[in-house]
Every structure is written in structure tokens, then in C-alpha cells.
Amino acid sequence: MSMKLPFFKSKQPEQNDLELINVPNHVAIIMDGNGRWAKKRGLPRIAGHKEGMSVVRKITRVASNLNIKILTLYAFSTENWKRPKSEVDFLMKLPIDFLDIYLPEMIENNVRIETIGDFDTLPKSTKEAIQHAKDRTKDNDGLLLNFALNYGSRTEILRAIKHIVSDVSEKDLPVDELDEQFFAKYLYTEGLCDPDLLIRTSGEQRLSNFLLWQLAYTEFWFTDVYWPEFTEGIFKEALLDYQNRKRRYGGI
Ligand code: IPE
Ligand code: IPE
Ligand code: MG
């Protein structure tokens, strides 16, 4: 039996047809369009990133209220280092600002914070702020808010292969044991189910090196809206669309 209810704690409860028993376990979002949003308003690109930060908070709250288990947000790619230093510096400071403001709320709402990507090469202050948040929220069992930060899928796959090759020789692992489950344990997403739904904002329809392995059977949903103007309503639209899809995984 399906249950149709408005969202918990929603400020303006909307009638909608979203089924609370069929929400995706794992939603991944490519939060794109911050720069264009700012440009459209005659603002510097960093104003778009700042605005995008409050949208992260808003969507985290919605996801948590809906009992989505994992929200993976693409925040910085391994290719984003190509941007001007001033923008990169701002983006590296953003997690610090985000956690300064919202960590207490995340703790209160039982959210666990984690990251995927090359954490070690992030600036020290960024790492410290995030590590603190991870430590403070590690025992929470509500929404997993998973930031893809300094993340690139090809690097992730190569890294997995290097670890496997060294484990095969050092630990004498039989190569026959290398199946999909085994391989997935070497990825940053070890232990996480694959995303059920991928959302990309800003009109671009590409993956930009995001979760190439993990998205093999994920449902994709695109919107022209820039990330800073992404709303709870648009998020629900994506979720509703997801609920109306028939996933076949190659079957019939
Ligand atoms: C997404 O917005 C945020 C990051 C990639 C860090 P962009 O900064 O890519 O914004 P556009 O795509 O240039 O508008
Ligand atoms: C993808 O957006 C990365 C993030 C959202 C963090 P980009 O703006 O970097 O992607 P491209 O360059 O348009 O493919
Ligand atoms: Mg972009």
C-alpha cells in the first residue's frame, strides 16, 4: 500500500503525489551553474557559489526529512583546479564557512558528514574543518551527507586498480576473486549503495567525471535551472519522476 503524505517539518506543506515509501535510497547531484547564475545578475562567480551553499543546506534538510539515506553532492572535481586561483581559493574555503554555520544543525538533525575524493591533498584548513565535522557526526545514523570534493572518477578507478594490483601481489589474492563486488570495495564509495537517482542542474547533460562506475544503472534527471535557484519543489519533481520510472537492469 502506498502512503501519500506531505513532508515532515516542511514550512509550507504542499500537496504532492510523492510516495514516501518509494523514495530513492541514494541521490547524487551535480550542482552546476553557480557561475552563470551570478553572471546573469551581474555578480562575481563566487556570489553564485555562496548562494549555492544555502541551497545545499535546504536540500539536505528536505532529503533528511524524506528519509533519503545518502545524498552525494559534487562540490569540486579534480578538473576544477584549472580555474583561476581566486575562485579555487574561495571554493576551498566554502566547506569551512558551510560547517561554521550549519554543523550544529546537521548534528541536531542526525546527519552524518563524509567525503569522497582525494582528501589528503586539500588545503590544511579545509581538511581540518571537514575532519572535525566527520568526527562530530560519525555516530549519527540519519542522512549521510556525502560531499564529492576533489573527486574524479577516472582517478578513483585508477587508484582502485593500483591498490588491487598491490594487494594481489602482497597478499597473494587470487585474481579469480576479482568480481564487481570486490572491485567496488576499492572505490571511495566503499560500502555505499549505488545512486538510484542522479540530478544535474544548469542544462548540461554530461557526467563531468562523476561516479562513472557507480552510475551504471542510475536514473538520470536534468533541469535547466541553475543550482542557486534549485528549490524543494524542483527536487520533489525529480523524485516524483524517479518514482514513475521502470527500472529493468537489463531484464524485462
Ligand atoms: C558549479 O557551478 C560549482 C562547481 C563546479 C564548483 P559552476 O562554477 O561550474 O558554474 P557554471 O557552470 O560555470 O555556471
Ligand atoms: C562539474 O561541474 C563539477 C561540479 C559540479 C563540482 P563543472 O562545471 O566543473 O563541469 P563542466 O566543466 O561543465 O563539465
Ligand atoms: Mg559548471
Side-chain angles (χ1 to χ4, degrees), residues 2-5 14-20 236 239-240 243-244:
S2 72
M3 210 174 22
K4 291 176 183 177
L5 295 170
E14 286 170 31
Q15 259 338 100
N16 59 69
D17 295 312
L18 209 57
E19 295 177 36
L20 287 176
K236 288 177 191 170
L239 295 170
L240 187 59
Q243 291 183 334
N244 288 312

Side-chain angles (χ1 to χ4, degrees), residues 30-32 74-77 80 83 200 204 206 208:
I30 302 175
M31 310 182 288
D32 199 12
Y74 205 4
F76 192 91
S77 76
N80 288 146
R83 296 185 179 202
R200 182 168 188 153
E204 309 299 353
R206 55 176 170 259
S208 303

Side-chain angles (χ1 to χ4, degrees), residues 150-161:
N150 197 11
Y151 175 87
S153 197
R154 288 183 171 180
T155 307
E156 175 186 41
I157 291 169
L158 278 174
R159 175 183 167 272
I161 292 170

Side-chain angles (χ1 to χ4, degrees), residues 224-235:
D224 286 342
V225 163
Y226 296 140
W227 178 250
E229 54 202 14
F230 192 77
T231 60
E232 177 172 346
I234 302 167
F235 190 36

Side-chain angles (χ1 to χ4, degrees), residues 189-252:
T189 48
E190 180 195 355
L192 305 183
C193 61
D194 289 339
D196 300 293
L197 173 66
L198 171 82
I199 297 172
R200 182 168 188 153
T201 60
S202 90
E204 309 299 353
Q205 302 194 1
R206 55 176 170 259
L207 292 180
S208 303
N209 205 9
F210 191 45
L211 301 174
L212 302 180
W213 171 278
Q214 297 88 340
L215 295 174
Y217 267 103
T218 301
E219 297 296 324
F220 288 9
W221 196 86
F222 299 102
T223 172
D224 286 342
V225 163
Y226 296 140
W227 178 250
E229 54 202 14
F230 192 77
T231 60
E232 177 172 346
I234 302 167
F235 190 36
K236 288 177 191 170
E237 225 180 277
L239 295 170
L240 187 59
D241 194 339
Y242 167 84
Q243 291 183 334
N244 288 312
R245 303 224 185 145
K246 179 87 188 83
R247 301 179 79 182
R248 280 183 287 272
Y249 301 98
I252 50 171

